[in-house]
Amino acid sequence: MSDHGGDERIGIDELLEQVRSGLDRIEPRAAHEAYETGEALLVDTRYAALRERDGLIPGALVVERNELEWRLDPRGSHRAPEATGHDLLVVVLCNEGYASSLAAESLRRLGLHRATDVIGGFQAWKAAGLPVLLPTSAS
């Protein structure tokens, strides 16, 4: 057994707690308001099956989680046009607000120092009665 100065390993719950302690997480209504006023870029990282099942947030940039860092890095060659600079307030949403915390932390490590996520994710957004474009059923 090696000693690396104490806490060698942590579980996902501890990691999530550590990550969230460094984020200014926001409620769905505050995220919507920040988007409406042009202050924030909403980024939906839910996978396609969830978007098809539950709908889309109007105006949100859809970026699959495995592409997030490449699409949001303001200095990256594969960045989305919306990735305008490191001062951008990026608000990440996943389905329930867990993976989005880790995603926001990753963006912060790229220098997007205002990156955060929505408490409760898309499900909390929808429950708050905020705008959702419902999927059209093919009939």
Side-chain angles (χ1 to χ4, degrees):
M1 231 170 134
S2 64
D3 183 12
H4 291 88
D7 191 17
E8 288 186 40
R9 295 186 179 125
I10 62 170
I12 186 61
D13 293 332
E14 292 86 2
L15 177 61
L16 196 56
E17 187 176 323
Q18 283 179 9
V19 164
R20 286 178 171 173
S21 72
L23 297 175
D24 296 319
R25 301 182 77 219
I26 60 176
E27 296 287 343
R29 288 196 185 284
H32 181 253
E33 184 177 312
Y35 168 74
E36 287 287 306
T37 61
E39 181 187 356
L41 172 64
L42 297 179
V43 180
D44 186 348
T45 62
R46 293 174 301 140
Y47 53 90
L50 288 176
R51 295 190 312 268
E52 291 165 9
R53 181 189 79 187
D54 294 339
L56 297 170
I57 295 172
L61 176 65
V62 174
V63 179
E64 296 278 341
R65 176 60 189 97
N66 64 333
E67 298 178 359
L68 185 70
E69 291 80 1
W70 284 267
R71 303 288 289 149
L72 273 290
D73 179 1
R75 297 186 300 180
S77 59
H78 298 287
R79 74 180 176 277
E82 294 87 349
T84 56
H86 288 95
D87 289 333
L88 182 64
L89 174 58
V90 177
V91 179
V92 183
L93 292 103
C94 64
N95 194 46
E96 295 182 342
Y98 294 96
S100 58
S101 294
L102 300 175
E105 169 63 16
S106 182
L107 292 176
R108 282 180 173 240
R109 293 179 75 175
L110 284 176
L112 291 151
H113 62 96
R114 298 176 69 203
T116 190
D117 72 324
V118 172
I119 298 166
F122 176 84
Q123 295 303 325
W125 177 281
K126 189 174 175 182
L130 295 168
V132 173
L133 294 173
L134 296 175
T136 56
S137 58
S139 42

